[in-house]
Amino acid sequence: MPIRRVSSLAIFFLGLAVSAESQQKQIKYVPVKSTSRTSAQEMYTAYCAVCHGVDGKGRGPAAEALRVAPSDLTMLAKRNGGMYPSDHVTSSIRGDSHLPAHGAREMPAWGREVFWRMSQGQTSEVQLRVSNLNRYIESLQAK
Ligand code: HEC
């Protein structure tokens, strides 16, 4: 299988760079940092906070450079009649829930692309990362 030959350097992630001349924020691709598959907080800080904010409220430093505002991840349960939409979160993180009709995807397909390559195609590791992040986001829900 060719996936075995993908090195971690081939994995890219969106980072933030502020260009000095224009003073405009630009999204820049930087190599993805490796994180522990079991530490959701470490993954969240490394991969999600740049857009969704450390507190999950959608005000990370890259947010204003995006066309679509990052969701307030603390309001998912409230917006869903008090029920945390776990399946929806899983498919959002995996990158499955975006239909082309919904416009350009601003959020990387973490599960299907980044975590998949990071684990060299090991489905169980991808699932572990996604479910740990899912539980972490559940813990951020506004009461
Ligand atoms: C480059 C910016 C960016 C990064 C990084 C990012 N997101 Fe997002 N995310 C978005 C945007 C923009 C949306 C909403 C618009 C959309 O559907 O594309 C979104 C939507 C979501 C949703 C769906 C919420 C809803 O309202 O239905 C979840 C869940 C989510 N992100 C989780 C994560 C997690 C977990 C990470 C880290 C692994 C992450 N995001 C990293 C930009 C980002």
Side-chain angles (χ1 to χ4, degrees):
M1 291 278 272
I3 52 167
R4 285 273 155 215
R5 279 194 268 122
V6 175
S7 83
S8 62
L9 288 175
I11 301 169
F12 291 92
F13 162 63
L14 295 167
L16 182 78
V18 182
S19 124
E21 308 93 70
S22 64
Q23 293 294 311
Q24 265 190 343
K25 286 187 177 170
Q26 284 181 342
I27 305 279
K28 195 175 94 176
Y29 285 86
V30 296
V32 76
K33 267 206 313 211
S34 76
T35 52
S36 161
R37 69 196 78 170
T38 52
S39 174
Q41 187 162 14
E42 190 185 336
M43 286 192 277
Y44 184 86
T45 308
Y47 309 137
C48 320
V50 65
C51 291
H52 291 285
V54 175
D55 60 3
K57 293 192 172 160
R59 292 190 293 259
E64 64 191 63
L66 297 172
R67 276 165 300 148
V68 182
S71 310
D72 180 344
L73 297 178
T74 69
M75 295 301 285
L76 297 176
K78 276 221 165 127
R79 275 178 20 214
N80 191 45
M83 276 251 297
Y84 179 68
S86 182
D87 290 349
H88 167 72
V89 172
T90 295
S91 56
S92 301
I93 301 172
R94 282 182 50 80
D96 293 341
S97 67
H98 295 273
L99 302 171
H102 292 175
R105 189 197 306 135
E106 294 256 50
M107 180 165 108
W110 296 100
R112 275 187 317 143
E113 293 164 12
V114 185
F115 298 155
W116 192 81
R117 275 184 266 170
M118 206 181 248
S119 67
Q120 298 183 317
Q122 287 183 42
T123 317
S124 59
E125 183 176 327
V126 175
Q127 275 166 358
L128 189 63
R129 285 186 184 274
V130 173
S131 68
N132 283 338
L133 276 166
N134 192 345
R135 265 195 302 245
Y136 182 75
I137 294 173
E138 184 167 13
S139 77
L140 299 177
Q141 296 313 296
K143 295 283 174 306

